[in-house]
Structures are given as structure tokens and as C-alpha cells.
Amino acid sequence: MAKSWRRRSPMLKWLVLTAVYAILAAVYVWYTSPNDVPAAYKGTPADPATYFSPQQLKDSEVVNPIRNWIFFASIPWEWLIYLFLLSGGLARNWRDALERSGLPLVLRFPLFVLFVDLASFVLYLPLRIFSYGLSRHYGITTQPAASWIRDKLVSFGIGYVTMLAVSAVAFWVLSRRGRWWLKLWLISVPFTVFMMYVEPVVIDPLYNRFTRLSDPQLEAKILALADKADIPADRVYEVDMSKKTNAVNAYVTGIGPSLRIVLWDTTLKQLTEPEILFIMAHEMGHYAMHHLEWSAVGAVGSSLAVIFIGGWIYVWSIRRWGDDWGIRGRSDMAGLPLVLLILAVLSFVSLPVSNAVSRNAESAADAYGMKLMNSAGGEVSMQQKTGVVTLTDVNPPLLVHWFRDDHPSDMERIVAAMKFAKSHGQPGS
């Protein structure tokens, strides 16, 4: 009885701390001024008051604090799920029940991973539903509930297969002697490259339909732009996103033969040709400056740090709490929620750094796009239109910028475009 209470007590403490954190996060995001720009930019194209309607400004001031709160609240929520599986005894009970079933390990392990993944999916679902409902209410998301549920189930299936493959290899390596963390990292390198290769041609089509660009004249101009940027492409893909969102997007993805230039159909419907060409020039900048390759290098390098640091924390945690959580050793499948918890914490801690790197790459791609087009006009009007559609906060609060934004703010991007226009004697400065 006393031991059972000791297991519940840490969980109760974390629940209280999470509640306090959620309240503080709500106060922070609500009382930081959305869409507030410095006095120097008042009345300029960077000021949302010049291109948002009064109602859109009002909606933005409501929806952004809620979106930011959902983001910050989701972090400890995920941690609590894994702590619940550990401290509540579910992980060890599932392992024990599967062992009593007499099934071979080759069946027990996939079932255990399924239990953990399914529990995490279900317990995290309320926040996803809240976020979906918010986007639907403000007209950002147009996706029907049935289609949204389908996408989530597809994500769950892909996530489960990936988690099963990765965890099976990881726990097998953990059962070996020697520098298991180094072996794990070496195995992760080809896996990272493989996922970058297959995502555009295998995974993305599971969610949306990809076809050749419906406007052959626009495709010819985009391919001419690609040729100017030395990008080996012979077609542009259009993806049917208007059934799901009003947001616009375009991207260059894949490596080698899987390289694709992709435009959302919403982009074609809402933006002018110069704006579309600027977006494509921006995306081509990522390719021309080898951001995709550097992203792969960064993923490989960061995985080494995560595996080494996370591995040390994992072993230390088992020594400290293994008996309470029923984890028999580092290769025990009951330790999977602990692995996921450590990865989630390290991912959150690293966000300011990874986001800063991403924002720097996006700024460089913006500069490349303006240089390639020899114009900044498409950048300014495009940022304004996309900001209106998504009701974005053009100048988000500092903590939101650090932890959530992997792109420069709309204000930063518009100001950069204004400076480019001014330095080249173009209108819009």
C-alpha cells in the first residue's frame, strides 16, 4: 500500500506543476500584445493594420493566444502521458500480461509497442481535437471531420510502423554489450537519409493527391526559374489541399530521384503569378544553398547528441526509479515510455536552437528568392495575403518566437523585403 502511494505521489506532484504551468502559460500568451509592431513600422506594409480588416485584427488577437497556449500546454501534456504509463504501472502490467500469455517475443514486442502508441494517441487526442475545432471555427481549416480523422489514423499507422522498427532495433542494441549508443547512432544515419528519400514519393501521397501542375504556362515559368537556379526538375507537382485548408504553401522536397517541386492548389487560387514565382524562388533557394543536405547533416549530428545524452539519462533513470516503474534493465520493453519521455524533453529543450537555425535558413532563402527574381514586391504582398488567411501574429511574443517559430515573423520578412526594394530603387520600400 505504501509503495503504491509512493508511485502515485510523484504523478500527483507533476499534475499540480502542470496545472500551474498551464495557468502561467495562459497569462503569458494572453497579455503579450498580438500584432503589435514597433513605432518605426506603424503605417508601413509591415503593419497589419494596413492590410488586416478590423474584424481580422480582432480575430487574430483572440486566436493566436489560444493557439500559442495549445502549443505550450501540449508539451507537459505529452510528458504526463509517458509518466502516467510509467508511474501508473500500465507499462509493466502490459509487459507482464504479454509474458503470461505465452506468446513469443516476436509477437509480444509489437503488441506492447502498439499498446504504448495507442494509449499515447488517445490521451493526446483532446488537444488535437481542440486545435482542429479552433481552426475550423476561424475558417483556417476547411477539412471535414471524417477526412481529419482519416488523416490522424494514417498518421497513427505510419507512426506505429516507424516506432516499431526504430524501437525494435534500439532495444536489441541495448541488449548488447559495448558502446550501444554509438551503434544506435551509426544505424540511425542511413535511416535518416532513407526517410528523407521516401517521404515525398511514399508517405506524402497517403495524405493527398499529387498531379502535374494544371497550368502549363505557369509550370514552364517555374521550370525556367528552376533551370536558372540549376535545379534538375522536369515537372511541377500540384497537391489538392483546398479540401483541407485555406492556407497556401509550396516547397521543394526529397533528395536525388525523389526531388519534387510542389505547389498547393490553394496557392494557385489565392496568389498572383509574381507572388507564386517568388514562393518558388524562395523554395529553390533552399535547394541551391543545399539546405536539404545541411538539414540531413544536422539531423545526423543532433541524433548523436540526443542518443548520447538521452542514453545517459535513460540508464541513470532506470537506476533511480527502475524498481518503482518495474523496469528490469535497459533492454526491458517496459522502458519504452521512458525513452519516449526523454526524447520529448530533449526535443523541447533543443527547440530554441533548432528553430533559430531554421529561421536563419528561411531568411537566406528569402534573400535568394528576391535576388533571383530581382524584386521584393511578390514577397511583401504574399506575406500579407498568407498572414490574413491564417490570422497570423505578425510579431509574436519572444517565448513563442523562440520555441514555436521555425520561420521569421511576417514583420521580419516584410521589413527585409522593404529594405531590398529600397536598396534596389524599387517601389514598396
Side-chain angles (χ1 to χ4, degrees):
M1 185 72 169
K3 191 173 183 179
S4 176
W5 170 251
R6 284 198 303 270
R7 287 198 300 267
R8 290 189 178 92
S9 181
M11 193 67 197
L12 180 61
K13 178 180 70 175
W14 282 111
L15 283 170
V16 172
L17 289 174
T18 300
V20 173
Y21 163 85
I23 293 171
L24 292 176
V27 171
Y28 174 77
V29 299
W30 190 259
Y31 286 99
T32 47
S33 300
N35 291 322
D36 185 26
V37 297
Y41 302 134
K42 294 286 187 182
T44 71
D47 184 356
T50 65
Y51 58 92
F52 275 57
S53 71
Q55 184 60 48
Q56 288 166 342
L57 277 175
K58 183 178 179 181
D59 289 344
S60 179
E61 290 170 0
V62 173
V63 73
N64 279 297
I66 299 175
R67 283 193 293 207
N68 292 333
W69 180 84
I70 292 173
F71 168 78
F72 283 112
S74 68
I75 295 159
W77 188 301
E78 182 182 8
W79 299 354
L80 279 174
I81 290 172
Y82 301 135
L83 282 170
F84 173 68
L85 297 180
L86 291 167
S87 298
L90 285 176
R92 83 165 143 209
N93 289 341
W94 289 336
R95 178 205 59 204
D96 294 345
L98 288 169
E99 288 178 347
R100 290 194 299 269
S101 71
L103 292 171
L105 181 61
V106 71
L107 293 179
R108 294 201 312 268
F109 190 81
L111 285 172
F112 180 83
V113 174
L114 178 62
F115 294 161
V116 171
D117 199 24
L118 185 60
S120 303
F121 177 81
V122 171
L123 292 173
Y124 198 84
L125 195 57
L127 274 181
R128 290 194 176 102
I129 293 173
F130 184 25
S131 181
Y132 167 73
L134 183 70
S135 293
R136 282 278 291 182
H137 177 74
Y138 284 96
I140 300 168
T141 295
T142 59
Q143 187 175 18
S147 174
W148 181 81
I149 292 171
R150 176 198 172 277
D151 280 357
K152 295 307 168 190
L153 291 177
V154 170
S155 295
F156 173 77
I158 295 172
Y160 169 68
V161 171
T162 304
M163 182 186 294
L164 177 59
V166 172
S167 58
V169 172
F171 278 96
W172 179 80
V173 173
L174 283 167
S175 67
R176 308 290 98 181
R177 295 182 179 180
R179 297 182 179 180
W180 53 266
W181 56 270
L182 182 59
K183 297 174 185 176
L184 275 178
W185 176 68
L186 292 174
I187 294 172
S188 74
V189 174
F191 178 79
T192 299
V193 176
F194 173 75
M195 291 302 295
M196 290 185 68
Y197 179 86
V198 303
E199 183 174 0
V201 295
V202 177
I203 297 176
D204 289 349
L206 296 176
Y207 294 94
N208 302 293
R209 186 169 62 92
F210 290 78
T211 59
R212 187 157 194 161
L213 190 62
S214 56
D215 186 340
Q217 292 183 341
L218 178 60
E219 182 183 46
K221 292 180 180 179
I222 293 173
L223 291 176
L225 203 62
D227 183 64
K228 188 177 178 181
D230 295 323
I231 296 178
D234 58 1
R235 66 182 299 182
V236 179
Y237 289 85
E238 179 179 333
V239 56
D240 182 13
M241 290 296 295
S242 56
K243 295 178 180 179
K244 298 182 179 182
T245 181
N246 284 320
V248 302
N249 195 19
Y251 56 91
V252 176
T253 186
I255 55 176
S258 72
L259 177 71
R260 284 188 171 188
I261 300 175
V262 182
L263 270 172
W264 288 11
D265 64 336
T266 50
T267 305
L268 299 172
K269 296 174 182 178
Q270 298 183 42
L271 300 186
T272 64
E273 185 176 285
E275 292 163 349
I276 293 172
L277 290 176
F278 175 79
I279 290 180
M280 297 314 303
H282 165 95
E283 297 301 332
M284 291 171 188
H286 286 306
Y287 181 91
M289 291 183 284
H290 305 288
H291 289 166
L292 297 176
E293 292 88 343
W294 280 113
S295 177
V297 172
V300 169
S302 62
S303 67
L304 175 60
V306 167
I307 291 172
F308 181 77
I309 297 172
W312 182 86
I313 296 173
Y314 178 67
V315 172
W316 177 82
S317 299
I318 291 176
R319 290 172 181 166
R320 176 68 177 79
W321 295 291
D323 289 342
D324 290 338
W325 293 338
I327 302 175
R328 299 164 181 163
R330 68 187 187 193
S331 61
D332 184 357
M333 67 177 73
L336 178 59
L338 176 58
V339 172
L340 297 175
L341 172 61
I342 293 170
L343 291 176
V345 171
L346 291 178
S347 176
F348 172 70
V349 171
S350 66
L351 277 177
V353 175
S354 61
N355 283 342
V357 172
S358 177
R359 289 194 299 269
N360 182 69
E362 295 296 335
S363 294
D366 278 348
Y368 181 94
M370 288 184 283
K371 184 178 180 180
L372 187 65
M373 296 293 295
N374 194 33
S375 173
E379 165 78 321
V380 174
S381 56
M382 182 270 294
Q383 292 297 339
Q384 291 176 337
K385 288 181 180 179
T386 57
V388 168
V389 169
T390 57
L391 297 174
T392 187
D393 184 353
V394 302
N395 186 26
L398 183 62
L399 292 181
V400 174
H401 193 55
W402 283 356
F403 284 94
R404 192 178 180 201
D405 290 351
D406 56 7
H407 283 60
S409 68
D410 285 3
M411 183 192 75
E412 290 172 328
R413 301 179 85 168
I414 292 174
V415 168
M418 291 164 55
K419 291 179 179 178
F420 180 93
K422 183 177 181 179
S423 66
H424 288 72
Q426 299 172 355
S429 58

